[in-house]
Amino acid sequence: MDLNLVVLAGTISTEPDVRTFTSGSTLIRYLVTVRTTEPRRRVDVVPVTLWDPGPDDLAAIGDARGRGVWVAGAIQRRFWSGDDGRASRIEVIAHEVRIRDDAVVMGEQPEPA
């Protein structure tokens, strides 16, 4: 059995890009910074695309930059031809995007209510 599933937690790097096409489809493109320490320290910026977002997704993007986010989706490689030949990029096609409360920081627990 093959399974293409990715779950990531990170920080939204820039204001999300919202595009609506003539077909009526809408997408939100996020750039998510993910920091890791194992096997070595590194920072990656992962492009995440959410197609046909719901009203809650659209309402949450106004102040999204710098906030934590959880993403569940699948990895996809996109190919295109340009002046320098054929190119590709890996991105996450999201099934679910949840922007976390500002108070939530990776590795810390929120204060009990």
Side-chain angles (χ1 to χ4, degrees):
M1 175 180 87
D2 294 338
L3 178 64
N4 182 354
L5 173 67
V6 63
V7 176
L8 62 90
T11 304
I12 298 174
S13 308
T14 61
E15 289 302 324
D17 179 28
V18 180
R19 296 182 188 180
T20 301
F21 299 93
T22 55
S23 66
S25 289
T26 300
L27 70 76
I28 302 175
R29 181 162 290 134
Y30 304 89
L31 293 178
V32 178
T33 301
V34 179
R35 291 173 171 76
T36 56
T37 56
E38 297 294 330
R40 66 182 190 284
R41 260 182 105 87
R42 72 183 276 156
V43 176
D44 291 304
V45 177
V46 180
V48 174
T49 301
L50 177 64
W51 282 97
D52 297 319
D56 291 342
D57 297 310
L58 290 168
I61 63 170
D63 61 348
R65 183 176 184 207
R67 294 180 64 190
V69 64
W70 288 98
V71 177
I75 294 176
Q76 179 175 328
R77 181 178 292 272
R78 294 196 183 268
F79 294 91
W80 68 92
S81 296
D83 295 337
D84 297 331
R86 195 159 167 88
S88 70
R89 169 179 95 166
I90 291 178
E91 67 182 351
V92 174
I93 303 301
H95 298 290
E96 194 73 34
V97 173
R98 288 290 172 242
I99 298 175
R100 300 189 317 248
D101 291 336
D102 289 40
V104 178
V105 177
M106 288 296 294
E108 293 182 13
Q109 296 295 320
E111 294 295 320

